[in-house]
Amino acid sequence: MQIHDLNFQLLLSATQILCRVQEIAAQLSDQYKTKCPLFISILNGAFVFAADLIKSYSGPCEITFVKIQSYSGTSSSGILQTVLGLEQSIEGRDLIILEDIVDSGKTLHFFIDSLQQQKPHSICTVSLLYKPNAIQFPIHLDYVGFEIANDFVIGYGLDYNGLGRNLPDLHVLAQN
Ligand code: IMP
Ligand code: MG
């Protein structure tokens, strides 16, 4: 499949992804059964993951969204920008951070730093995808959907210069 100037091929099907997302949701539902966690989804990429996960989460919870950007094209720009921040107090709250993909780790590393300064009760980090070979900033991930190679992916919320977010499956840059 062609998106802009690049070719992509299937990596994970929508069914495979949903299966794993439901597993994680079940584990979180059990872990937080006596609490009312606040999910924080990082826009734009995590919106599809967050929607699927929260539908499979049982028990009282809230969800909110932040927007942090460091990417342009297929590589990190090196500059973090908060485009949309948190509106409510998170002091004393149990936070579950939902990220689409951890690449260098920079987005989550700095975001978690800023959350910790606001004194939540706990922070749980969840990323659908994780590229262990790309990590440059130390972060702890409590739940990972899939570990993948250090290749650019699109679909299921993730984009290449704005396109591809609506694809139900996950696709990887073709090696040719
Ligand atoms: P990090 O700060 O380098 O870990 O990058 C994390 C953010 O970059 C993610 O939230 C994505 O929005 C974006 N990103 C990283 N890798 C990819 C990719 O392979 N495809 C699409 N977006 C990506
Ligand atoms: Mg993202």
Side-chain angles (χ1 to χ4, degrees):
M1 156 189 322
Q2 173 125 7
I3 304 278
H4 291 299
D5 54 327
L6 299 177
N7 259 307
F8 291 85
Q9 65 198 38
L10 183 69
L11 180 66
L12 293 165
S13 72
T15 313
Q16 282 175 296
I17 299 170
L18 189 60
C19 227
R20 183 70 186 116
V21 170
Q22 288 174 341
E23 255 173 39
I24 296 174
Q27 289 172 333
L28 288 170
S29 303
D30 188 50
Q31 185 180 338
Y32 288 87
K33 61 177 174 248
T34 61
K35 313 221 148 127
C36 179
L38 172 63
F39 286 94
I40 303 179
S41 167
I42 304 181
L43 295 172
N44 292 325
F47 78 107
V48 177
F49 174 46
D52 277 348
L53 190 135
I54 200 156
K55 280 185 286 175
S56 297
Y57 182 88
S58 55
C61 64
E62 293 176 56
I63 185 160
T64 191
F65 299 86
V66 295
K67 189 166 184 176
I68 315 158
Q69 281 179 339
S70 73
Y71 255 71
S72 160
T74 60
S75 65
S76 179
S77 69
I79 307 152
L80 266 198
Q81 224 191 328
T82 303
V83 184
L84 176 74
L86 284 170
E87 286 156 359
Q88 72 252 65
S89 165
I90 57 164
E91 194 177 332
R93 295 298 305 265
D94 293 296
L95 308 179
I96 305 176
I97 315 306
L98 300 179
E99 177 61 305
D100 52 356
I101 185 165
V102 171
D103 185 275
S104 72
K106 183 169 55 185
T107 307
L108 261 195
H109 178 89
F110 287 105
F111 183 53
I112 287 165
D113 244 25
S114 80
L115 291 177
Q116 264 157 355
Q117 290 163 23
Q118 299 168 64
K119 305 205 167 24
H121 178 252
S122 65
I123 301 178
C124 173
T125 48
V126 184
S127 185
L128 176 69
L129 304 167
Y130 173 49
K131 295 180 183 173
N133 296 330
I135 204 81
Q136 291 175 35
F137 294 80
I139 49 155
H140 170 75
L141 287 174
D142 295 290
Y143 293 89
V144 170
F146 302 92
E147 285 195 6
I148 61 168
N150 195 4
D151 299 317
F152 193 74
V153 292
I154 55 156
Y156 198 75
L158 291 99
D159 75 307
Y160 167 43
N161 277 348
L163 296 184
R165 294 194 195 276
N166 57 318
L167 300 169
D169 306 311
L170 200 76
H171 302 259
V172 65
L173 192 59
Q175 305 291 342
N176 53 29

